[in-house]
Amino acid sequence: MIEPNPKANLLRYLQEARDALVWKLDGLSEYDVRRPLTPTGTNLLGLVKHVASVELGYFGDTFGRPFFDRERPSWWYTEESEPNSDMWATADESRELIVGLYRQAWEHSNSTIAALTLDAIGHVPWWPEERREVTLHHIVVRVISDTQRHAGHADIVRELIDGSAGYLQGKDNMPPGDQAWWEGHRSRLERVAREIDG
């Protein structure tokens, strides 16, 4: 069936990505949501903080609808911010604060999407001058792509923490199999990789 409302279709995919990302924090300790599990420091709470800033920037500043009235946080996209500061939470930034900011970002983004047409023109201040002019449609697709990418990162990080895997609560999109089946599956893949490698 063809979606009669393109905005509703785009918002559905955006919200699924948001929900998938936030769900990856459920049931974990403060340590586990913050601990870096890759050489570049990727961590679950940092991913949420990052996508909150992505939404606030693209659906706020780009379309003249800034989220921060006065003082922006130190990790916001400014020349003074520490590199990568939007990708991790400081000791003063609680899980509740970061997730709460992300949920506020959803509301702000959704109101921008509702208020403007998909062909509305915005300007991305941090892009090169020759590429700054964009449509709302372009930005919605870009943010869906970015959020899904980071939700995929969160899938892997969460699996490394406690073995939990899947897309959404109640909709994991995983083939059936118990721990023994998955161990056998992984062993088989390792065996094939070693055989191919020679």
Side-chain angles (χ1 to χ4, degrees):
M1 180 173 100
I2 296 174
E3 174 60 58
N5 182 341
K7 277 189 189 179
N9 197 30
L10 290 167
L11 274 171
R12 179 173 64 90
Y13 282 101
L14 178 56
Q15 192 59 52
E16 281 188 3
R18 292 164 168 167
D19 291 339
L21 183 55
V22 170
W23 177 52
K24 293 300 174 178
L25 277 64
D26 283 2
L28 293 179
S29 69
E30 285 301 313
Y31 171 70
D32 282 336
V33 298
R34 293 167 181 273
R35 73 171 155 143
L37 285 162
T38 69
T40 57
T42 303
N43 63 92
L44 292 172
L45 195 56
L47 289 170
V48 174
K49 182 178 176 181
H50 172 72
V51 294
S53 69
V54 165
E55 287 209 26
L56 293 174
Y58 280 121
F59 292 116
D61 296 352
T62 296
F63 293 97
R65 299 167 58 90
F67 177 79
F68 299 107
D69 297 343
R70 295 177 292 281
E71 191 174 327
R72 296 173 175 194
S74 61
W75 50 265
W76 191 250
Y77 297 108
T78 64
E79 291 179 11
E80 297 82 33
S81 67
E82 175 187 331
N84 226 31
S85 57
D86 65 319
M87 294 295 291
W88 64 282
T90 67
D92 295 335
E93 295 170 334
S94 69
R95 177 192 324 216
E96 292 74 23
L97 177 81
I98 299 294
V99 173
L101 178 66
Y102 190 31
R103 291 184 189 283
Q104 290 175 331
W106 300 356
E107 292 175 17
H108 191 74
S109 300
N110 292 354
S111 70
T112 296
I113 294 166
L116 303 175
T117 61
L118 287 175
D119 60 357
I121 301 296
H123 297 87
V124 183
W126 55 92
W127 284 8
E129 186 65 44
E130 67 276 6
R131 295 191 311 120
R132 284 188 182 168
E133 188 171 280
V134 293
T135 63
L136 177 63
H137 184 261
H138 176 134
I139 292 302
V140 175
V141 171
R142 182 179 182 93
V143 172
I144 290 169
S145 172
D146 192 65
T147 306
Q148 287 287 11
R149 176 176 181 251
H150 292 308
H153 294 149
D155 280 342
I156 294 167
V157 170
R158 179 64 190 253
E159 189 173 356
L160 290 171
I161 291 169
D162 67 358
S164 174
Y167 180 56
L168 284 168
Q169 189 170 14
K171 182 182 174 183
D172 66 13
N173 283 6
M174 300 292 290
D178 59 12
Q179 185 175 349
W181 186 88
W182 284 109
E183 287 172 3
H185 176 69
R186 187 183 183 288
S187 294
R188 177 181 178 202
L189 299 181
E190 178 69 26
R191 192 169 53 252
V192 168
R194 287 187 183 281
E195 288 170 5
I196 297 298
D197 196 39

